[in-house]
Amino acid sequence: MSTSLELAEGKAQRAWLRHPAQLVVLGFAAAILVGTVLLMLPAARSGPGGTDLLTALFHATSAVCVTGLVTVDTPVYWSTFGEVVILGLIQVGGFGIMTLASLLALLVWRRLGLRSRLTTAAETKATGIGEVRGVIRGVFLITVTMELLVAAMLTLRFALGYDEGWGRATYLGVFHSVSAFNNAGFALFSDSLIGFVDDPWICLPIAFAVIAGGLGFPVWLELARRRTRWRSWSLHTTMTLSATAGLLVLGTIFVTANEWSNPGTIGDLDTPGKLLAGFFQSVMPRTAGFNAIDYAQARDGTLLGTCVLMFIGGGSAGTAGGIKITTFVLLFWVIVAEVRGERDVEAHGRRIDDRAIRQALTVALLSVGAVMAATLALVHLTDHPLDLVLFEAVSAFATVGLSAGITADLSGTGQLILIGLMFLGRLGPITLVSALALRERGKLYRLPEGRPLIG
């Protein structure tokens, strides 16, 4: 009898391992459900009565999916209890994302064939040789260290620079540090961080936290082990760091040049202030929802460029969203190889596996389809222009949280679409890639080759 039970339990466990996406989706859905119930309590709202279901569901989803889109004024609408609930949901969502993504990478690695495992082990030790306990401990230590460091810096600035009491300054510092590292973008100021647009002691620590959270746990683990030995970095770390630096520089130049003379955004600032604002708004689309400029006043070119940065997102197994920067860079090298007429796709002295290319194409094209379908639906549900609707849809899918100010104006159906985009954008790429890798199987035959005309 005990043998039969053990066999049954083993089969059930293997079933879950074959479909880890189910566990991930159910876990995040449960967190959103709990958050919705807590936000509907009368104690969560600063005004009389409780919160309606749609508002609570929207903000619980936005917090757990570390997005930052809101339909109400966070510091005005929610009580301290409500703000603490949102902060807790952000922390649970961010920690869960980094942990689950890293564990899924570890699970995928163990399910690979011997040759692939040896190649992966030689390439990176970030997810290949760690155990579950080590992964969780590493994510926890990185999260706590980064959040405490940034919280201390912000607390000092709020207390010494803005005459906040130490209790209030600590609360503001912790809240914005957690929100920044988890790339959530929730702020306790009605104008987000527009009031601090030219304050480097506020903007730079928050930008650092956003970048740190967006790089991903595998990158930080490898940097901790190999530090400055950049020649021994894995392809994943090299691609993530180099592309992140490149996009930050290009994004800063783009935003600053586009908005230089715009009085509605940074036109009235001095030169250092403009450069700081340009850098800050180059970091935020990576995917935190803080804004130091009013995007409703931004120029069309800035909105379009920001959409591109939001869609790309940040690093894998981190708190950033989007299609992930490694996906974008990999597709770039695919184009380079095709233009050059090369048989293999190569990057940084490595040949890219065909399976990774197919997975990147799948994630990118499905993401484009999801954003376009949602944008088309929202266009029919609102009178707002296409550029603002597209900006909102990309921000939701990429779990950024930047807004041109139309979120609260959307109908209930429109807000439900954004809720679906946030959930899909947060969990879609992670679960899709892991599912594709885990279900991969070989065939004993190959069909005759065909070459359709392209272009």
Side-chain angles (χ1 to χ4, degrees), residues 414-455:
Q415 292 181 19
L416 287 174
I417 291 175
L418 292 186
I419 290 173
L421 277 178
M422 287 188 287
F423 193 77
L424 177 63
R426 180 69 275 172
L427 298 179
I430 297 175
T431 55
L432 177 61
V433 171
S434 61
L436 289 174
L438 290 173
R439 69 179 295 177
E440 185 170 317
R441 60 184 185 273
K443 287 185 176 180
L444 299 178
Y445 64 91
R446 299 182 72 184
L447 296 175
E449 185 178 88
R451 288 183 175 272
L453 296 177
I454 303 298

Side-chain angles (χ1 to χ4, degrees), residues 223-369:
L223 291 178
R225 287 175 172 173
R226 304 185 184 186
R227 299 179 182 177
T228 57
R229 292 180 295 168
W230 61 272
R231 292 184 183 275
S232 63
W233 288 349
S234 68
L235 178 60
H236 172 77
T237 297
T238 302
M239 291 174 67
T240 301
L241 292 179
S242 60
T244 295
L247 286 178
L248 287 177
V249 172
L250 292 176
T252 300
I253 296 173
F254 175 80
V255 174
T256 305
N258 246 20
E259 298 296 322
W260 186 271
S261 59
N262 184 357
T265 54
I266 67 174
D268 294 335
L269 300 175
D270 56 15
T271 298
K274 291 178 179 179
L275 294 175
L276 176 62
F279 170 74
F280 190 78
Q281 293 310 144
S282 173
V283 174
M284 291 308 110
R286 308 309 309 288
T287 55
F290 298 107
N291 61 290
I293 65 173
D294 185 0
Y295 276 99
Q297 304 293 325
R299 290 171 174 162
D300 292 342
T302 302
L303 293 178
L304 180 59
T306 302
C307 282
V308 174
L309 292 175
M310 290 192 297
F311 190 74
I312 294 172
S316 301
T319 55
I323 62 172
K324 299 298 186 293
I325 196 166
T326 45
T327 302
F328 173 76
V329 174
L330 193 154
L331 294 178
F332 168 78
W333 287 113
V334 170
I335 295 173
V336 170
E338 190 62 29
V339 170
R340 291 177 175 175
E342 296 175 348
R343 178 179 180 180
D344 295 324
V345 178
E346 299 175 350
H348 303 286
R350 297 287 191 277
R351 178 175 58 84
I352 306 298
D353 184 69
D354 291 340
R355 293 170 297 181
I357 296 173
R358 294 198 302 269
Q359 291 170 7
L361 286 170
T362 302
V363 169
L365 291 178
L366 288 179
S367 299
V368 170

